[in-house]
Amino acid sequence: MGNTSSFRNGLIIEHKNGLYKIVEFLHVKPGKGAAFVRTKLKNVKTGQVVDETFRAGANVKSVRVEARNYNFLYSDQENYIFMDNETYDQIELSSSILEDVKPYLIENTKTTIAFNGEEPIEVRIPPHINLKVIETDPGEKGNTAQGGTKPATLETGLVLQVPLFIQIDDSVRVDTREGKYVERAK
């Protein structure tokens, strides 16, 4: 049990008979009236994002999650197979729990899976991942004065904007939190 002063991004709480992850929060102290905390909560099971307001100091039940390291092995359309790095046990997760991370999963991606008891509730991936470009328009020589961008399709099917000098078969570093190009990978 905790209260609103312990809120932080990523904290998982029990709210309205479900598990919710705090996406963002803001303590508000109006000039008149009591303070409150405005939050954006994401339902762990469904992925639905809701706005909730709590009184400052209100009691909330935080959920203790256990995180274990896994490697992503492969997927067969609707299921994704992961292997525990310590015990070599494999688990199968449905695609619904992976909505946020699916565009970044390639074989042998190191992940962390959070469990509530024995139930997997969240898959976390590194903040930056290197992915190979499989399709993009050729950059025109000399057309870089404005620092333009072009769309590129990556090996996972993700399409994002990259600089004009990026070619097919180049590897690019992608920020998985924002889904943006960072740099050309070495």
Side-chain angles (χ1 to χ4, degrees), residues 75-121:
S75 72
D76 60 359
Q77 301 305 344
E78 63 270 343
N79 293 316
Y80 289 73
I81 313 304
F82 293 84
M83 181 182 69
D84 188 317
N85 290 346
E86 294 173 13
T87 65
Y88 302 110
D89 291 337
Q90 293 183 10
I91 65 166
E92 198 172 292
L93 299 178
S94 67
S95 63
S96 62
I97 196 171
L98 299 162
E99 286 301 320
D100 296 344
V101 298
K102 267 197 285 191
Y104 309 106
L105 284 178
I106 55 173
E107 289 182 9
N108 292 322
T109 300
K110 293 187 183 327
T111 62
T112 302
I113 301 179
F115 290 87
N116 180 20
E118 286 300 311
E119 179 190 6
I121 57 173

Side-chain angles (χ1 to χ4, degrees), residues 135-185:
E135 186 181 322
T136 187
D137 296 331
E140 295 177 28
K141 196 166 186 77
N143 190 11
T144 58
Q146 267 63 43
T149 61
K150 61 184 179 181
T153 304
L154 306 181
E155 61 189 301
T156 60
L158 177 68
V159 177
L160 54 87
Q161 294 294 317
V162 297
L164 295 172
F165 60 82
I166 298 294
Q167 301 298 324
I168 294 175
D169 291 333
D170 283 354
S171 286
V172 294
R173 190 169 195 79
V174 179
D175 184 332
T176 59
R177 296 163 297 201
E178 296 182 17
K180 292 185 177 177
Y181 166 86
V182 176
E183 64 185 356
R184 183 187 292 175

Side-chain angles (χ1 to χ4, degrees), residues 8-31:
R8 65 183 187 286
N9 290 343
L11 179 70
I12 297 176
I13 62 171
E14 214 173 276
H15 181 64
K16 293 186 178 176
N17 298 325
L19 295 179
Y20 288 85
K21 179 180 177 182
I22 298 175
V23 178
E24 60 184 56
F25 68 97
L26 177 66
H27 287 276
V28 179
K29 175 72 174 106

